Amino acid sequence: MSILSADKVKLNAKAEDKWEAIRIAGQLLVSAGHALPGYVDKMIEREQTLSTYMGGGLAIPHGTKDSKELIKSTGLSIVQFPDGVDFGDDEKAYLLVGIAAEGDDHLDILTNVAMVCSDEDNLEQILKASTAEEMISIFESGMEA
């Protein structure tokens, strides 16, 4: 199972608030079989403790340290919000990358995602992507580097 596939990419999503946005990203991971349903609640719990908003329109929601037993395999979900979602402090996220990571994969994936999205050209392409395949190719080319 690929950590990133078209069934885990949602373009032009809308959410009332960051909680709904995180649930959308988490549900993609659950639906793809990477995590059990309780993992979405752990993603919410994590956000309540410490914001996963990284700046530049990017949030990377993931579970708490004690959510490892809810993860079946490592996976990423990508949700594009053209209108943005308020993450507090006047910060809007236009892209959520949900992470479910086995073992020690978590930090490597977080670092890779942050590196891909910190490149302004990449981020602009990601925010303008019109197909899941286009989104995946931007991430995969950046993550291999």
Side-chain angles (χ1 to χ4, degrees), residues 23-80:
R23 289 192 184 284
I24 292 168
Q27 189 55 52
L28 289 169
L29 294 168
V30 170
S31 297
H34 290 294
L36 298 172
Y39 186 71
V40 179
D41 294 328
K42 292 296 187 179
M43 291 172 79
I44 296 289
E45 189 181 311
R46 166 75 190 196
E47 188 66 34
Q48 290 168 336
T49 310
L50 182 68
S51 179
T52 57
Y53 183 78
M54 308 306 251
L58 170 69
I60 308 178
H62 50 282
T64 57
K65 282 186 171 52
D66 66 351
S67 61
K68 291 287 184 196
E69 71 277 0
L70 299 170
I71 297 171
K72 297 201 276 185
S73 61
T74 297
L76 288 181
S77 64
I78 301 174
V79 189
Q80 177 196 64

